[in-house]
Amino acid sequence: MTRTIVASASREIIIGFDQPFCVIGERINPTGRKKLAAEMVAGNFETVIRDALEQAAAGATMLDVNAGVTAVDPNATEPDLLVQTLQIVQGLVDLPLSIDSSVTAAIEAGLRVAKGRPLVNSVTGEEEKLEAILPLCRKYDVPVVAISNDETGISMDPDVRFAVAKKIVERAMDHGIKPHDVVVDPLVMPIGALGDAGRQVFALLRRLREELKVNTTCGLSNVSFGLPHRHGINAAFIPMVIGAGMTSAIMNPCRPQEMEAVRGANVLNGTDKDCMNWIRTYKDYKPGEVHAPAPVQVNAPGDGAASGGRRRGGREARMGRG
């Protein structure tokens, strides 16, 4: 059985077909969030701290960390900022982290300070990226997200996207990286623009599981882009992709409707043993109430929780949208 192991300093998580669905919290990402980007540039990490704590409280399995605040000379600015952000986050929560950047120097800087076994987000099928990122993953013995696009961009043909994923898996093996350490992103298209986007990804996921035997992930909310009431579409999509074989997703765990879909799918998929997580979470549920985590007190770094009481930019750029 394919198992991808990620870890923080004190907690190990397994991504796999026989495991609960892995929720990778997406919120620590300044892409499209001008206020957060401005805060991070100014050295203000209040929102980062709040997002880390709230996502952990909401049930995230791991957290994605991105510091792509600017397209102006990111090679000079992003490595140090990503390092600082990673150190703050791993001092706050004991969840494994995903190091998210399109800048190779930033990924390497992040790998030097990350505790445990983080996930690298990401590599594409582009030759330059393959030869830059895969040696780093081998050197630090970490798994990597493989996004199914290459120099030609994102193909609308799912067979082409499968071929790119296969190429990345094979090239990873050439670098000594086993298929279980490659987590493929088959690229979810917006259903509002491409009517068969759902059927495409379901078929792709089955092929990736049965033929390449790899774990998978996606940017979950891509499927609902441009539609009203996006969370309803996202919540319907979750159990369907889990049923097709997806084992993780980069998503917002602070959306109760979507997390209910994850937890319900885990129950029905048999990965929530004896329904215990569902029971713990909803034993006091009352109809009409929204189940959400309690508000989190935010402290500045060095105060209380932020001092270690408990142990998205890059993706758009790599997919040709940044």
Side-chain angles (χ1 to χ4, degrees):
M1 184 64 70
T2 301
R3 293 188 165 196
T4 305
I5 296 175
V6 293
S8 65
S10 57
R11 181 187 296 193
E12 180 179 282
I13 296 294
I14 299 172
I15 304 173
F17 304 117
D18 61 342
Q19 300 295 311
F21 190 68
C22 178
V23 175
I24 305 172
E26 70 179 6
R27 293 289 294 165
I28 304 172
N29 189 329
T31 305
R33 301 177 69 188
K34 293 182 179 179
K35 179 177 180 290
L36 175 58
E39 286 180 0
M40 293 175 72
V41 168
N44 177 358
F45 292 91
E46 181 176 319
T47 300
V48 168
I49 293 167
R50 179 181 292 110
D51 284 342
L53 294 172
E54 287 184 346
Q55 288 182 107
T61 315
M62 56 188 300
L63 299 181
D64 190 75
V65 178
N66 183 294
V69 297
T70 176
V72 179
D73 199 10
N75 287 293
T77 60
E78 193 166 326
D80 288 345
L81 186 57
L82 181 59
V83 164
Q84 190 174 5
T85 308
L86 286 166
Q87 289 175 325
I88 288 170
V89 173
Q90 66 188 2
L92 287 165
V93 300
D94 66 348
L95 301 179
L97 302 181
S98 167
I99 301 174
D100 184 359
S101 179
S102 59
V103 177
T104 302
I107 289 177
E108 183 163 23
L111 286 170
R112 285 197 295 265
V113 302
K115 298 177 181 178
R117 194 172 197 249
L119 175 68
V120 167
N121 185 10
S122 60
V123 69
T124 67
E126 299 164 278
E127 286 298 320
E128 181 181 356
K129 287 296 183 182
L130 290 168
E131 292 307 310
I133 301 300
L134 293 180
L136 286 178
C137 295
R138 174 59 177 170
K139 176 181 177 181
Y140 289 91
D141 185 28
V142 293
V144 63
V145 173
I147 300 182
S148 303
N149 69 289
D150 58 16
E151 290 89 351
T152 65
I154 301 172
S155 174
M156 293 298 105
D157 184 342
D159 290 336
V160 172
R161 300 207 299 278
F162 177 85
V164 174
K166 184 177 180 181
K167 169 188 171 181
I168 299 172
V169 171
E170 290 173 347
R171 290 291 289 277
M173 291 177 68
D174 290 342
H175 284 273
I177 301 166
K178 302 294 186 184
H180 63 249
D181 275 338
V182 180
V183 181
V184 172
D185 182 344
L187 294 175
V188 173
M189 303 299 173
I191 193 73
L194 188 67
D196 66 344
R199 293 193 301 274
Q200 275 193 13
V201 78
F202 303 147
L204 255 176
L205 287 167
R206 294 185 187 102
R207 290 192 68 189
L208 290 165
R209 174 172 179 162
E210 294 167 8
E211 296 180 39
L212 297 186
K213 297 178 172 55
V214 292
N215 282 310
T216 45
T217 195
C218 71
L220 185 85
S221 63
N222 286 355
V223 72
S224 62
F225 182 78
L227 292 176
H229 187 38
R230 296 182 64 183
H231 306 304
I233 294 292
N234 296 346
F237 185 59
I238 287 166
M240 297 185 76
V241 290
I242 292 175
M246 185 166 279
T247 50
S248 70
I250 300 170
M251 57 183 285
N252 185 352
C254 299
R255 299 291 182 184
Q257 186 176 9
E258 295 168 31
M259 287 300 288
E260 285 176 4
V262 169
R263 295 182 181 111
N266 286 338
V267 169
L268 298 171
N269 208 27
T271 57
D272 181 358
K273 185 173 174 56
D274 298 325
C275 309
M276 289 308 299
N277 186 57
W278 181 272
I279 292 168
R280 279 194 302 268
T281 305
Y282 299 110
K283 60 183 174 62
D284 297 321
Y285 173 81
K286 294 181 177 60
E289 288 187 357
V290 176
H291 186 88
V296 172
Q297 177 67 43
V298 176
N299 300 304
D303 294 337
S307 64
R310 299 190 307 276
R311 266 295 321 147
R312 213 154 137 157
R315 173 167 294 264
E316 282 74 7
R318 293 188 292 278
M319 291 171 60
R321 297 203 301 267

